[in-house]
Amino acid sequence: MLISNNPYASPDGLTDGDRRPRLDTGELGVLGIRVEDAAHAADLAVRGSQSTGLTVTTAHHVEVTSDAPEIPVAVDGESLRLPPPVTCSLRAATLRILLPRDRPTNTAPVPPVTVRRLIDLALNRTTRAPRGRHRA
């Protein structure tokens, strides 16, 4: 499960360059993945956002419960263990982002994650340039 401050641009947010078009929508982005076996994992890898194992929604408040005394979580990349329930919500006007006036308006797109790229990463192979594109 991924709970983010504001939703990602698409249901494939984890594979589309991890971009959120806005950080001021006042909503949490919620991505839930359920994988029970290899067939579910393959379905998710092949069908992406069309997989039955993926749930995408938004919320103003999310509460994660469990029967376990602690659950593993990551907060801004920091690995923690917290007692349930774990509650996530947004507070109005608590995030400020200061940008330089001469900032670039567009950033280079991140190449999409493909099954071939995942296999190459898993096998520690050198990343290949996608077909039809040249490395800069």
Side-chain angles (χ1 to χ4, degrees):
M1 175 177 279
L2 170 70
I3 301 169
S4 59
N5 59 341
N6 299 279
Y8 281 86
S10 75
D12 292 319
L14 295 175
T15 60
D16 281 349
D18 301 325
R19 298 186 190 276
R20 288 168 286 177
R22 299 187 60 145
L23 293 176
D24 62 352
T25 65
E27 292 183 306
L28 296 168
V30 183
L31 294 169
I33 298 174
R34 183 180 195 104
V35 178
E36 295 182 13
D37 54 30
H40 283 141
D43 179 66
L44 185 63
V46 172
R47 295 181 63 215
S49 63
Q50 302 303 310
S51 173
T52 58
L54 177 67
T55 301
V56 179
T57 190
T58 59
H60 294 286
H61 178 88
V62 175
E63 185 173 283
V64 180
T65 61
S66 173
D67 292 335
E70 290 184 329
I71 56 175
V73 301
V75 178
D76 291 335
E78 175 97 18
S79 177
L80 304 170
R81 297 186 70 76
L82 297 175
V86 174
T87 303
C88 301
S89 61
L90 293 176
R91 289 188 228 163
T94 57
L95 175 66
R96 283 190 165 180
I97 299 174
L98 301 176
L99 300 171
R101 289 178 199 210
D102 59 347
R103 71 186 182 277
T105 56
N106 291 320
T107 59
V110 176
V113 176
T114 63
V115 173
R116 166 143 335 264
R117 187 165 173 224
L118 287 174
I119 291 169
D120 287 346
L121 288 170
L123 297 175
N124 201 24
R125 294 181 189 158
T126 304
T127 310
R128 300 177 211 161
R131 289 182 185 161
R133 295 184 186 170
H134 301 282
R135 289 187 190 195

